[in-house]
Amino acid sequence: MRDFTNDLRWLAINSATIKSWPLQQQIEGCAQAGITGIAPWRDGVAALGPKRSRELLRAHDMTATCYCRGGMFTAAEAAGRKAAIEDNKRAIDEAAEVGARCLVLVAGGLPPGSKDIAGARAQVRDGIAAIASHARTARMPLAIEPLHPMTAADRCVVSTLDQALDLCDELGDGVGVAVDVYHVWWDPALKAAIARAGTRILTYHVCDWLVPTADLVADRGMMGDGIIDLRGIRAMVEAAGYAGHCDVEIFSARNWWTRDPAEVLQVCVERHRSVV
Ligand code: ZN
């Protein structure tokens, strides 16, 4: 078994955690802190250029753990769903250009005015099915990320890992899951679902759940500051065969986003050693 705790090789930073830096500075800052992986977002890559992004990642021996993000397949009109499919194909191509390990998909919520959650879920399935062959051709695995059920209305109608895995079962090769502790820690079926996922876990995201939490989107905590059993969940994903990075993904309007990213990286390194 690998020693995650003292081994920085398995620590990665999601760009959003240090978003006040542009991507180039993020890559250089992570390298300087001894961090070996980064999860870039589309806007950062667009600003730097995919080719330059890939060159910089390579120059710093940095793994692009996952590309954030695609998805948002739901829409009231067919034209909107078609536009989402085209946009996701572009995201697949960008992810491949950058050399990312996978493309994260956040499903999308209910279309405005709709009360049909089953219909929205069907749109998500159809959307992923419509991009799956493009992704296979590009050799870009798709990672469906279930989000906390409080976000089902406006962001993601895929709420549990089992639900994401049902989609994987249906859609076949090249489709796996993103396990983000923030979204799944509460699930009584989590342990069994992680075992079921096995090597279909394509990326693993860590942060913490603060009590009380002010906001589901932008009030994530630093690992160790909340109530998530990080060691316990990590043991589950390792047992399932996951052998990749722990991506620190912290959206934090009231705390971590207000700090110097270099300081944030130092705290991530310390907490990775002590609690992740
Ligand atoms: Zn995540």
Side-chain angles (χ1 to χ4, degrees), residues 81-97:
R81 297 193 288 279
K82 189 164 180 288
I85 287 164
E86 294 312 312
D87 187 53
N88 274 276
K89 288 181 180 171
R90 284 192 293 276
I92 289 166
D93 296 341
E94 291 162 25
E97 268 187 279

Side-chain angles (χ1 to χ4, degrees), residues 14 68 104 145 147 178-181 183 205-206 220 249 251:
N14 188 291
C68 300
V104 169
E145 180 164 346
L147 262 55
V179 174
D180 185 328
V181 296
H183 293 299
H205 303 170
V206 297
R220 294 178 175 219
E249 186 179 37
F251 304 80

